Amino acid sequence: MKQIKNKLVICSLVTFSLSTQVYAMGSRRPKMPTRTTTGRVPPIPEKTPVSVPMPSPIAKPTPAPTPAPTPTTPIAKPTPAPKPPVSAPVGGPYVDQIKELVKGSSCANYSWKSRGRAPLGYVKGVALSFARSICRLKKADQTPSGLSAILSKANTGNASKDALAHYQSNFSGISLPINTAGEDPIRAVYVLGMGLGMRESSGSYCEGWDKSAGSNRSSSAGEAGVYQTSYDSMGASPELSKLYSEYKASNSSRCFLETFKEGVSCGSMSNLGTGAGADYQSFNKSCPAFATEYAMTMLRIQRSHYGPINRKEAEVIPACDQLLKNVQDLIDRDPENACQDIY
């Protein structure tokens, strides 16, 4: 019996020693069983298994969103230099009315000596150019200056330079007044100009240089256009170069080219020579409204430039005077709107 007690003591000491070492490491020390009255040690209750949570799977890091590419600002192209302003395209009810006046006129049906009937576009173009010259005078507020002063001045009496003085008897024969400054002298020079264009080119806006005069000449002497005017005439007045610059800087519709083309067939449009004279020839043919106003100015200041005028071959036709008088009256009735269309 004594031996059994000693064994129990030894077992208790060993158990205590082991438990002391285990729970010294942090585990909770279980309560030691107490002896029963019978002296037996009750069985140690089984431990309830502890549910050890499984570690959550390591979440993969969410990749950072790829930043949207920053739009590249396009390199701005240099802004082109602004073009010089040009006049608005010509057209409107008054342009159309003038063309209708021409179609119903006896001037358009006249048969010119050695030339026959004029191209309808030629008569329309001259009538429109006349209307523009009248508007130049009106824009000057009845105080002529520059080009309008030349065209509207009364008969100068200088027959060597002024075609109105040279043709004075012809104008008297159709009662066309030329001795008072204003719109009538402008009409008179255009009536004469109508006949001049028929003698020089048969009303063809694209007529080139006179090959019968030979090519052994400078380009400045090359004739061109409906009135066969050459560049060497430019020195007759500073107003001529101003007119040239005005038309070159304007909208091409101011040239009335499409109007002058009606009824005209063009052949070779070559120029004589090169340089400024050749450029002038080209422009004269491509801008017949310019060629017309330029030639009318020349008739007032240097009429000797044109052989048919010197020889009085250009006809002065009453029916053409009547046509231009009708155009003049149309503008006079509503100058503001008419000139807005035509100028």
Side-chain angles (χ1 to χ4, degrees):
M1 187 71 180
K2 188 175 180 180
Q3 290 176 349
I4 293 171
K5 288 182 182 180
N6 289 337
K7 288 180 180 180
L8 289 171
V9 171
I10 292 170
C11 287
S12 297
L13 289 173
V14 171
T15 301
F16 177 77
S17 175
L18 289 172
S19 63
T20 301
Q21 291 177 10
V22 170
Y23 293 101
M25 298 172 68
S27 300
R28 181 179 293 178
R29 188 191 303 273
K31 293 182 180 180
M32 295 301 294
T34 57
R35 292 179 182 276
T36 63
T37 56
T38 61
R40 293 180 181 179
V41 178
I44 299 173
E46 294 182 3
K47 292 182 180 180
T48 304
V50 178
S51 177
V52 179
M54 293 297 293
S56 301
I58 300 173
K60 293 182 179 180
T62 304
T66 304
T70 304
T72 304
T73 304
I75 299 173
K77 295 181 179 180
T79 304
K83 294 181 179 180
V86 297
S87 301
V90 175
Y94 284 91
V95 170
D96 295 338
Q97 287 184 65
I98 290 172
K99 290 179 179 180
E100 288 300 314
L101 287 174
V102 171
K103 287 172 64 176
S105 72
S106 298
C107 180
N109 294 319
Y110 179 73
S111 181
W112 300 83
K113 289 179 182 178
S114 304
R115 298 292 186 269
R117 185 179 295 184
L120 187 59
Y122 168 70
V123 183
K124 289 179 179 179
V126 173
L128 287 170
S129 299
F130 165 67
R132 180 171 290 159
S133 292
I134 291 292
C135 286
R136 284 187 189 277
L137 180 63
K138 292 186 179 297
K139 282 181 172 291
D141 296 324
Q142 304 303 320
T143 305
S145 60
L147 198 76
S148 64
I150 294 174
L151 291 173
S152 64
K153 65 185 175 182
N155 173 18
T156 62
N158 186 349
S160 65
K161 290 187 177 296
D162 185 1
L164 294 194
H166 187 57
Y167 267 77
Q168 183 170 348
S169 60
N170 301 73
F171 292 121
S172 298
I174 62 171
S175 301
L176 204 171
I178 61 173
N179 293 321
T180 303
E183 294 180 1
D184 289 340
I186 299 177
R187 188 172 88 248
V189 77
Y190 270 89
V191 171
L192 178 57
M194 192 83 76
L196 173 61
M198 288 304 296
R199 293 303 305 177
E200 291 282 17
S201 68
S202 297
S204 176
Y205 72 94
C206 51
E207 188 73 16
W209 56 283
D210 184 3
K211 293 179 173 56
S212 66
S215 60
N216 191 24
R217 299 177 290 157
S218 67
S219 63
S220 63
E223 308 86 354
V226 65
Y227 293 99
Q228 292 289 279
T229 311
S230 55
Y231 185 63
D232 55 12
S233 64
M234 193 77 72
S237 169
E239 296 303 323
L240 295 172
S241 59
K242 290 179 184 177
L243 184 68
Y244 188 32
S245 298
E246 173 195 317
Y247 269 95
K248 287 199 294 183
S250 296
N251 188 294
S252 61
S253 65
R254 290 190 78 227
C255 292
F256 296 139
L257 178 60
E258 294 305 313
T259 299
F260 275 90
K261 280 183 176 181
E262 187 177 351
V264 175
S265 178
C266 296
S268 172
M269 293 182 66
S270 63
N271 300 318
L272 174 65
T274 59
D279 293 342
Y280 174 84
Q281 292 171 54
S282 292
F283 194 74
N284 239 12
K285 289 178 282 189
S286 64
C287 192
F290 158 74
T292 302
E293 283 204 279
Y294 188 101
M296 298 307 104
T297 306
M298 282 289 292
L299 286 178
R300 296 304 315 271
I301 59 178
Q302 194 171 313
R303 60 91 174 166
S304 59
H305 189 78
Y306 305 101
I309 294 294
N310 300 333
R311 298 186 293 270
K312 286 196 173 182
E313 294 171 350
E315 295 180 75
V316 174
I317 304 303
C320 295
D321 176 41
Q322 185 59 55
L323 167 62
L324 297 186
K325 181 65 167 66
N326 293 340
V327 172
Q328 183 179 337
D329 292 342
L330 177 67
I331 296 172
D332 286 342
R333 285 194 293 269
D334 186 12
E336 182 175 355
N337 291 314
C339 291
Q340 185 175 349
D341 278 357
I342 295 162
Y343 193 78

